[in-house]
Amino acid sequence: NAGVTQTPKFQVLKTGQSMTLQCAQDMNHNSMYWYRQDPGMGLRLIYYSASEGTTDKGEVPNGYNVSRLNKREFSLRLESAAPSQTSVYFCASSEAGLSGLSYNEQFFGPGTRLTVL
Amino acid sequence: SQQGEEDPQALSIQEGENATMNCSYKTSINNLQWYRQNSGRGLVHLILIRSNEREKHSGRLRVTLDTSKKSSSLLITASRAADTASYFCASSGGSYIPTFGRGTSLIVHP
């Protein structure tokens, strides 16, 4: 099993450009998440999806949109990139969610390093 | 705002020594997890401790939880150079979604 995969690994954008980060998991997990990681800030939740067809905002959703395309795939879109969105983006998945499980081990992808000039 | 905060921010030790990292959180939790992140990689789950547990072991890892003090600690015994990484605590309260701290950067010198 590949686990959680993310594409691309690296991306450079100019201010105002748009792009979509792709994420897929092959563990049949209910929940999927998008985080950003900035130096000294730890991981901050952007959006999450408890199950196919549902999405919710996290701590820092402004400037982003998401799509839960199916149970496997969860994409993150930047409509008009800004330098403040320069970061490392991680996708994660977990079995918990509407399944009602109280534990929630998350499985992370390798990350996408995004630079916005 | 972030729920968990690790202490210290950075830790440098010699191989064979023990490494202790602490995590404090603000509100009641159902469980607390510890993750490890090697440079340039994603996070990897290490251990989960539930709110009704006080101590848990996994190999060279020992995690304690003190809900009265809203704190947890991660002890790595007999550290190795390969343990060099950042370590994050993540706490979950009423929602199953964990909130991550800022991490402790551990360097183990050979």
Side-chain angles (χ1 to χ4, degrees):
Chain A
N1 290 345
V4 179
T5 57
Q6 292 182 236
T7 56
K9 285 187 168 56
F10 301 92
Q11 185 71 49
V12 178
L13 294 176
K14 294 181 180 178
T15 296
Q17 287 185 317
S18 62
M19 79 161 295
T20 300
L21 282 65
Q22 307 287 353
C23 174
Q25 51 93 7
D26 61 2
M27 295 171 282
N28 202 37
H29 283 166
N30 290 312
S31 298
M32 298 186 73
Y33 314 80
W34 276 105
Y35 292 93
R36 61 178 287 173
Q37 184 176 34
D38 302 295
M41 294 296 293
L43 272 78
R44 292 184 291 172
L45 182 65
I46 304 171
Y47 270 94
Y48 67 98
S49 170
S51 65
E52 184 180 351
T54 68
T55 61
D56 285 286
K57 295 178 180 179
E59 182 184 355
V60 289
N62 290 346
Y64 305 95
N65 285 303
V66 291
S67 295
R68 183 75 182 267
L69 304 171
N70 46 56
K71 193 169 186 180
R72 288 188 65 247
E73 299 172 289
F74 189 38
S75 63
L76 177 72
R77 183 160 178 84
L78 285 69
E79 291 291 351
S80 179
S84 62
Q85 294 178 304
T86 293
S87 188
V88 181
Y89 292 85
F90 288 100
C91 176
S93 70
S94 72
E95 195 173 356
L98 295 182
S99 65
L101 293 170
S102 62
Y103 59 89
N104 193 31
E105 176 185 350
Q106 292 190 325
F107 295 79
F108 283 80
T112 295
R113 292 183 177 276
L114 175 66
T115 300
V116 182
L117 303 175
Chain B
S1 62
Q2 292 184 311
Q3 169 81 308
E5 293 295 339
E6 291 90 344
D7 173 66
Q9 290 185 6
L11 183 59
S12 180
I13 60 174
Q14 295 295 129
E15 210 166 30
E17 295 180 339
N18 294 342
T20 300
M21 290 158 262
N22 302 298
C23 169
S24 60
Y25 56 90
K26 297 177 182 175
T27 59
S28 297
I29 61 170
N30 288 325
N31 62 70
L32 187 141
Q33 304 173 67
W34 285 90
Y35 287 80
R36 164 192 171 128
Q37 183 181 33
N38 287 83
S39 181
R41 309 291 289 273
L43 278 71
V44 175
H45 183 264
L46 295 175
I47 197 166
L48 179 149
I49 187 166
R50 293 184 170 82
S51 60
N52 60 354
E53 297 175 312
R54 291 297 168 258
E55 187 170 313
K56 205 161 184 180
H57 296 256
S58 177
R60 293 184 296 111
L61 305 180
R62 172 177 169 252
V63 169
T64 61
L65 179 65
D66 187 337
T67 53
S68 67
K69 294 181 179 178
K70 293 187 171 57
S71 67
S72 173
S73 67
L74 171 67
L75 168 67
I76 304 174
T77 59
S79 61
R80 306 166 181 167
D83 294 327
T84 293
S86 291
Y87 293 82
F88 295 86
C89 69
S91 55
S92 300
S95 163
Y96 62 89
I97 300 170
T99 302
F100 287 83
R102 299 171 192 262
T104 292
S105 175
L106 173 66
I107 297 175
V108 182
H109 299 280

